[in-house]
Amino acid sequence: MARGTPGSKRTHTVSVRLSDAERERWEAVRGESGRREMGAWVRAVVEDVLAGRADGEVPGAEKGPAPLAPINQAAYDELCRIGANLNQLVRYTHQDGQLHPAVEAALFEVGNAALAVRGIEPMRPMDPE
């Protein structure tokens, strides 16, 4: 996942001094927010306040996409695994300078996964195109 906002570079630094107690409190809330970096959390908290964050939300909480329905999540997870496999195969292909024999099989899997997500019965390897 890309960090930051595409097309914008942050060039200014803001420093804040904290007591031990303040740092402990900030670290505890940052941990609840799901953010790993203190700077990203502080930026998110300030942006949330400026944007009028909804009451009851954890300050600076990471905002991700809405959860998927279980069937869609399973399909998404499978497509991610297949995509990772394809990336590995392409890397091997670039190293060897020739098309890896498993690339065609991986592409076939991706096609079948797409069919399955749409509710269409997957093809068998011997099916005509």
Side-chain angles (χ1 to χ4, degrees), residues 20-95:
D20 288 342
E22 288 170 327
R23 176 149 176 113
E24 286 178 24
R25 192 171 76 226
W26 284 30
E27 286 288 352
V29 178
R30 181 204 47 82
E32 292 173 21
S33 76
R35 294 193 183 270
R36 292 184 296 248
E37 298 175 2
M38 179 63 77
W41 176 76
V42 170
R43 187 181 309 106
V45 168
V46 170
E47 290 297 327
D48 283 353
V49 169
L50 293 175
R53 160 182 66 81
D55 289 334
E57 290 182 27
V58 174
E62 233 176 321
K63 293 168 180 61
L68 294 172
I71 186 70
N72 292 347
Q73 185 64 53
Y76 178 79
D77 292 345
E78 182 63 21
L79 287 171
C80 287
R81 282 189 287 278
I82 292 168
N85 291 340
L86 279 174
N87 283 335
Q88 289 176 343
L89 293 171
V90 169
R91 182 174 46 108
Y92 292 137
T93 298
H94 286 279
Q95 289 173 350

Side-chain angles (χ1 to χ4, degrees), residues 94-108:
H94 286 279
Q95 289 173 350
D96 298 341
Q98 58 184 342
L99 186 62
H100 193 283
V103 171
E104 187 175 353
L107 290 171
F108 188 79

